């Protein structure tokens, strides 16, 4: 891969023309030797590329766990409202990042931000049935009947049939965990509306088998390690 393409792909703030300029100024080294021409060919897996001595590590894709706060939208751009991409710290920013899936503006919790379109597609495709787990607080206590209707597959307004979903009770009567295997528009809220209840607080706490880090503050991000990326696609429901 060309040196300028390599660096530009890893750092959003460094365009290919900026890289050219850095090379001209003698600030770029490959395996310790100054390289002045930005079309120099590098092996992205094995060569050590540095700018002013700082190593530019290579990752084909980046996977970011964001703990989305309420009031922020899952979009790449919005004229009026802050987007999830604006919460990504500069060191994790790169071209092509997008939120893989949407949470409502008032929903909190785990949003995956990535530049890996293929993984996002596999994670979101209704056919892959990757479970998404939500913590739900309701206006009135959750009943056994609701759990049974969700588990059988409930029909929500407009006649849409939902796939079976698993509801787990907690110690608090009006709180529960709900695992969905698809992502219809406002699905959790509409499912509870269909049984005469109302969601007052919603947070996504797990995607596949990967849990939202409970120490991650609202609005903060962390990079998901490559060894954990496959967990985002794990189909079976967590226990
Ligand atoms: N279901 C909803 O109703 N809202 C969300 O944000 C996610 C799932």
């Amino acid at each position: 891969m060309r040196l300028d393409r390599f660096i530009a792909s890893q750092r959003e703030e460094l365009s290919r023309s900026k890289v050219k300029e850095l090379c001209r100024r003698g600030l770029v080294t490959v395996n310790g030797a100054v390289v002045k021409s930005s079309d120099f060919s590098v092996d992205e897996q094995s060569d050590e590329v540095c700018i002013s001595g700082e190593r530019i590590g290579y990752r084909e894709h980046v996977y970011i766990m964001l703990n989305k706060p309420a009031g922020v939208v899952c979009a790449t751009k919005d004229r009026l409202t802050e987007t999830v991409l604006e919460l990504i710290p500069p060191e994790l920013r790169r071209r092509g990042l997008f939120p893989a899936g949407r949470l409502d503006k008032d929903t909190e919790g785990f949003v995956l931000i990535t530049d890996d379109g293929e993984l996002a597609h596999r994670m979101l495709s209704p056919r892959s049935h990757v479970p998404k787990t939500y913590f739900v607080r309701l206006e009135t206590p959750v009943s056994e009947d609701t759990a049974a209707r969700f588990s059988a597959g409930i029909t929500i307004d407009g006649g849409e049939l939902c796939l079976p979903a698993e509801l787990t009770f907690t110690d608090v009567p009006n709180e529960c965990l709900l695992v969905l295997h698809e992502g219809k528009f406002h699905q959790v809220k509409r499912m509870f509306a269909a049984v005469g209840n109302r969601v007052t607080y919603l947070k996504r706490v797990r995607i596949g088998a990967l849990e939202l880090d409970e120490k991650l503050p609202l609005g903060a991000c962390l990079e998901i390690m490559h060894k954990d990326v496959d967990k985002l696609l794990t189909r079976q429901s967590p226990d």
Side-chain angles (χ1 to χ4, degrees), residues 102-108 134 180 183-191 199 202 204:
R102 281 168 190 256
L103 291 180
D104 297 337
K105 188 173 168 185
D106 61 354
T107 301
E108 292 182 357
Y134 295 87
L180 300 187
K184 298 186 195 301
F185 184 61
H186 295 332
Q187 186 166 349
V188 176
K189 292 171 186 164
R190 289 161 73 210
M191 285 171 72
V199 173
L202 186 58
R204 185 157 63 195

Side-chain angles (χ1 to χ4, degrees), residues 12-47:
E12 193 193 34
E13 72 281 12
L14 296 178
S15 62
R16 286 166 76 165
S17 56
K18 278 204 185 122
V19 175
K20 197 170 179 178
E21 163 71 15
L22 294 171
C23 285
R24 236 182 8 87
R25 288 167 51 201
L27 297 174
V28 180
T29 57
V30 177
N31 301 325
V34 170
V35 172
K36 292 225 162 181
S37 86
S38 60
D39 64 358
F40 188 84
S41 182
V42 289
D43 179 335
E44 64 272 16
Q45 305 294 345
S46 60
D47 285 340

